[in-house]
Amino acid sequence: MAVESFNDAHNVEADPDIFGAVNLDAFTGNTPARHLLKLTPGVPKDGRYDELAAIFRPVFAKIAAGASERDANRTLPFEPVGWLNRERFGALRIPVAEGGFGASLLDLFRLLIELGEADSQVAHLWRSHIGFVESVLQLEDVTQRHRWVERIAAGQIVGNAYTERGGNRLGTLNTTIAKNGERWILNGEKYYCTGTIYADWVAVAAAHPTRAGRQIAVVSTQHSGVKIFDDWNGFGQQLTGTGSTTFENVPVDSVLPEEQQINDPESAIFQLVLLAVQAGITRAALNDVRSAVQARTRSFSTGTGVPVREEPQVLQLVGEISGTAFAVDSIVLAAVAEIEVALADASLSAAERFAVCELSADRAQAIVQPLALSAATKLFDGLGASATATSCNLDRHWRNARTVATHNPAIYKSRIIGDYEVNGTAPQQLNAIGDVGAAQATGVP
């Protein structure tokens, strides 16, 4: 169901003017309306986005064609990642003069939402890469910036290994880097390593022998001391490579500058990627309920006796899901636009920029999560018990949305926003997730 609706909605070759003006005189009672609300609401159409979308939409359609089957069979999407990489999806934000596409942050996220609509898991696995690219673009070290821009422009992908599964005290890390002769060497074990199984490089949060707090060391995933495991056992987003990675005496390629670890807006970018994934899931739920209602002939004795596609309450429900998708898109891209402005505003201090970015992402997260979950649940109300058949795999939308909604946990975001609104308390950056002892929990040093 989702495959056909996605391909139809994005069939640019068959209908190059699919987003153009509508001739209302051409409509009759039997003429199906085209789904024209694919351009994100509230975002003006511009030639640059259209140019980028023309490159990637055919790839998104191919990815959509196998999304449900990959989810059902737990088939890791190495091939879809390869399709995107051939078009250098990871180089969207790299300036044109340096070999990339020169996309704005807003255009990148509009494309990411479309990718999330095609397959939420493929969109999610780019999370670490997208965050790393934004950090690279802010590097003041010209040599290091050039090295990473060149690699990213060539199509190399960066994964993530920030979090440890347990056993480390809150704010500390057991993973370490240490000097061995002239080289830095990395040792440790990580979990939640989203995207790393598909990546050429991995950014690792580690403890430094002389620097305080978390440091980011980047190593090659091809080194024999790096072992990547597909052992993520969540009930959703199972194909994102969010499993374990171990590092044994792995040479460090780069350590990001220490000043970049303080008030870096990367965490807001990370969160916005997840919200773009939620927007894609909501769109996909709309696609599936729409196509299922259009095709359904079987009805209920408790209905009004008309075909399901004309049933007023079913149409109302589909309309509500459509409105939810519209709202989620709008909220996510409003937050992205605010962050893009903040990143370019030289008058902001690093701490102010971090606060603006965090609060924008937090506000969006506080509202988007329940909306996405409601759409993924509501679609079943319009289709009945037959829609719960495992062969339909419609539950993947709820499973994936519910899994994404657990990240960074959303329950804390409204409190952080409220504390800022009422008391002017700036959001705090935490270096590392870890275990809290009794002394820490009570505030005792």
Side-chain angles (χ1 to χ4, degrees):
M1 289 182 285
V3 173
E4 292 178 359
S5 58
F6 186 94
N7 290 336
D8 291 345
H10 296 78
N11 193 353
V12 228
E13 292 180 4
D15 185 0
D17 194 36
I18 194 166
F19 299 124
V22 183
N23 179 2
L24 296 180
D25 294 334
F27 279 85
T28 68
N30 297 321
T31 306
R34 294 181 296 170
H35 295 289
L36 302 171
L37 292 176
K38 299 308 291 188
L39 288 178
T40 305
V43 180
K45 180 178 176 180
D46 62 72
R48 188 72 187 123
Y49 174 70
D50 291 342
E51 175 191 335
L52 295 171
I55 295 169
F56 290 103
R57 276 187 185 148
V59 183
F60 296 165
K62 281 175 67 178
I63 290 170
S68 180
E69 184 180 358
R70 283 191 301 272
D71 178 90
N73 297 326
R74 198 186 172 104
T75 304
L76 294 177
F78 286 105
E79 191 173 31
V81 172
W83 297 335
L84 288 166
N85 212 22
R86 274 199 290 275
E87 301 295 343
R88 297 186 311 123
F89 184 79
L92 275 164
R93 286 281 288 148
I94 301 299
V96 172
E98 296 178 271
F101 290 96
S104 67
L105 197 63
L106 199 60
D107 282 349
L108 166 64
F109 273 85
R110 293 172 74 184
L111 290 170
L112 191 63
I113 290 172
E114 290 198 28
L115 177 56
E117 179 184 3
D119 188 328
S120 67
Q121 314 198 57
V122 176
H124 187 163
L125 67 85
W126 288 90
R127 182 189 188 207
S128 307
H129 180 88
I130 289 168
F132 185 82
V133 169
E134 291 307 310
S135 294
V136 165
L137 293 177
Q138 295 177 60
L139 282 173
E140 294 180 6
D141 183 326
V142 177
T143 303
Q144 196 172 58
R145 183 187 186 281
H146 175 74
R147 180 164 73 249
W148 281 109
V149 163
E150 192 173 48
R151 288 169 174 172
I152 293 162
Q156 295 183 29
I157 302 173
V158 183
N160 169 272
Y162 282 7
T163 305
E164 295 173 5
R165 203 165 194 172
N168 61 304
R169 186 169 54 83
L170 183 64
T172 69
L173 292 161
N174 293 330
T175 302
T176 61
I177 53 173
K179 212 61 181 292
N180 183 357
E182 293 302 308
R183 298 219 63 164
W184 287 98
I185 300 296
L186 175 75
N187 282 281
E189 183 174 342
K190 296 290 187 177
Y191 194 58
Y192 301 113
C193 300
T194 302
T196 297
I197 202 167
Y198 307 100
D200 305 283
W201 303 91
V202 53
V204 186
H208 189 282
T210 59
R211 295 181 185 176
R214 180 190 78 171
Q215 304 300 319
I216 304 300
V218 191
V219 302
S220 170
T221 58
Q222 306 308 305
H223 189 272
S224 59
V226 179
K227 293 183 172 54
I228 305 168
F229 302 92
D230 179 31
D231 57 354
W232 165 239
N233 62 355
F235 58 64
Q237 297 296 89
Q238 295 178 338
L239 312 181
T240 56
T242 306
S244 304
T245 306
T246 62
F247 304 91
E248 184 177 354
N249 297 324
V250 180
V252 174
D253 177 88
S254 308
V255 179
L256 295 188
E258 187 170 12
E259 61 272 15
Q260 192 147 352
Q261 307 311 311
I262 304 167
N263 297 321
D264 191 324
E266 180 192 63
S267 62
I269 300 293
F270 269 38
Q271 189 54 54
L272 282 173
V273 171
L274 294 180
L275 296 181
V277 171
Q278 294 284 46
I281 291 171
T282 310
R283 284 189 181 189
L286 172 62
N287 290 341
D288 273 356
V289 73
R290 180 201 300 124
S291 56
V293 168
Q294 288 171 337
R296 192 175 180 89
T297 56
R298 187 168 175 268
S299 190
F300 302 95
S301 59
T302 47
T304 59
V306 298
V308 176
R309 63 180 298 135
E310 298 171 16
E311 182 69 64
Q313 286 174 296
V314 173
L315 295 178
Q316 176 182 338
L317 181 137
V318 175
E320 290 170 357
I321 296 174
S322 178
T324 300
F326 183 96
V328 170
D329 274 4
S330 302
I331 293 166
V332 172
L333 291 177
V336 172
E338 189 168 351
I339 287 175
E340 186 155 36
V341 170
L343 291 177
D345 189 346
S347 70
L348 295 175
S349 68
E352 288 170 335
R353 186 174 295 109
F354 174 78
V356 170
C357 293
E358 283 295 297
L359 289 166
S360 297
D362 287 355
R363 287 172 177 136
Q365 187 182 10
I367 300 303
V368 162
Q369 308 289 27
L371 289 176
L373 287 167
S374 73
T377 301
K378 196 175 285 187
L379 72 87
F380 292 98
D381 293 330
L383 304 178
S386 60
T388 66
T390 55
S391 58
C392 296
N393 199 23
L394 291 176
D395 63 304
R396 76 184 188 281
H397 299 312
W398 183 89
R399 287 188 288 104
N400 291 335
R402 180 65 268 177
T403 301
V404 172
T406 62
H407 286 63
N408 313 116
I411 63 164
Y412 301 131
K413 301 303 182 179
S414 294
R415 172 185 54 78
I416 292 169
I417 299 162
D419 200 10
Y420 169 78
E421 295 287 1
V422 175
N423 301 311
T425 306
Q428 301 299 305
Q429 186 174 38
L430 184 64
N431 277 331
I433 296 169
D435 298 337
V436 181
Q440 288 174 294
T442 57
V444 179

